[in-house]
Amino acid sequence: HQLMEEQLAKLDFPLPESLVQRFYREHQRDAVRYLKSQKADEGTIKETLEHMEGESMEFARKKAKGHTFLLALAEREGIIVTTKEAEEAVRAMTKGTGQAYEDIRKTVWESGMIISMQERMIADRALDHFYASARKVMAEAPALRPFSEVKKG
């Protein structure tokens, strides 16, 4: 995602603190999961998380900036995720889990997790749109095409 990072480096805008905190918690949760998979004891996990606070916050701010940018791009471009598409994503989550679709669906909707899922799906589509637009610009720019093609056009 180098192109995206380069574009974001040029922009400065306020980040929703709730989003930064969400990505911070996710980063910390992922670290705990990894450390537990490595059979780390609780003391080691706690110490590691304390040492990671700065890294986790930097990661969260960077991720929140990209996410906010993509949601703004999606809004500008009219990119949406329908309720039906969100339902299909929930159904896909249940496959292979052995859990009943209705139970997972109820939890996802009642907890509000569906909003985060839709946001991420929208951000993914906006990222696809961003890169598709960049590829189109590159394909149309004579300076970026092979010389043999430029002579023909």
Side-chain angles (χ1 to χ4, degrees):
H1 299 313
Q2 184 178 349
L3 177 62
M4 177 86 164
E5 288 180 20
E6 289 172 5
Q7 293 304 309
L8 288 175
K10 299 174 188 176
L11 302 172
D12 186 31
F13 51 88
L15 301 174
E17 194 56 34
S18 61
L19 189 60
V20 173
Q21 289 303 314
R22 183 172 89 195
F23 288 134
Y24 176 84
R25 286 188 305 273
E26 285 180 11
H27 193 256
Q28 293 271 297
R29 207 171 26 245
D30 289 347
V32 168
R33 229 180 270 125
Y34 172 76
L35 291 167
K36 284 183 177 180
S37 77
Q38 299 298 307
K39 309 291 188 233
D41 61 67
E42 291 300 317
T44 302
I45 291 172
K46 183 179 179 189
E47 184 179 325
T48 302
L49 291 178
E50 287 171 3
H51 283 90
M52 284 180 58
E53 280 186 25
E55 173 192 324
S56 292
M57 187 52 72
E58 182 181 335
F59 171 86
R61 289 197 176 288
K62 190 175 182 181
K63 191 163 181 180
K65 188 173 186 179
H67 193 77
T68 302
F69 171 81
L70 289 172
L71 290 178
L73 175 64
E75 186 174 326
R76 187 185 85 193
E77 298 298 321
I79 298 169
I80 62 167
V81 170
T82 65
T83 303
K84 182 180 178 190
E85 290 168 322
E87 286 285 349
E88 289 169 5
V90 172
R91 190 172 299 283
M93 282 175 48
T94 63
K95 289 187 178 170
T97 65
Q99 294 180 308
Y101 164 72
E102 285 302 323
D103 293 342
I104 291 179
R105 181 189 181 280
K106 182 179 178 186
T107 300
V108 166
W109 282 92
E110 287 179 357
S111 69
M113 189 168 61
I114 194 69
I115 303 300
S116 296
M117 286 178 61
Q118 284 178 298
E119 259 187 24
R120 287 173 194 224
M121 292 169 71
I122 289 169
D124 287 348
R125 288 179 184 179
L127 184 61
D128 291 344
H129 177 79
F130 178 76
Y131 279 102
S133 296
R135 280 192 297 277
K136 183 178 179 201
V137 167
M138 290 177 69
E140 293 173 356
L144 300 175
R145 291 190 309 212
F147 185 69
S148 60
E149 291 181 25
V150 174
K151 284 184 3 184
K152 292 176 192 173

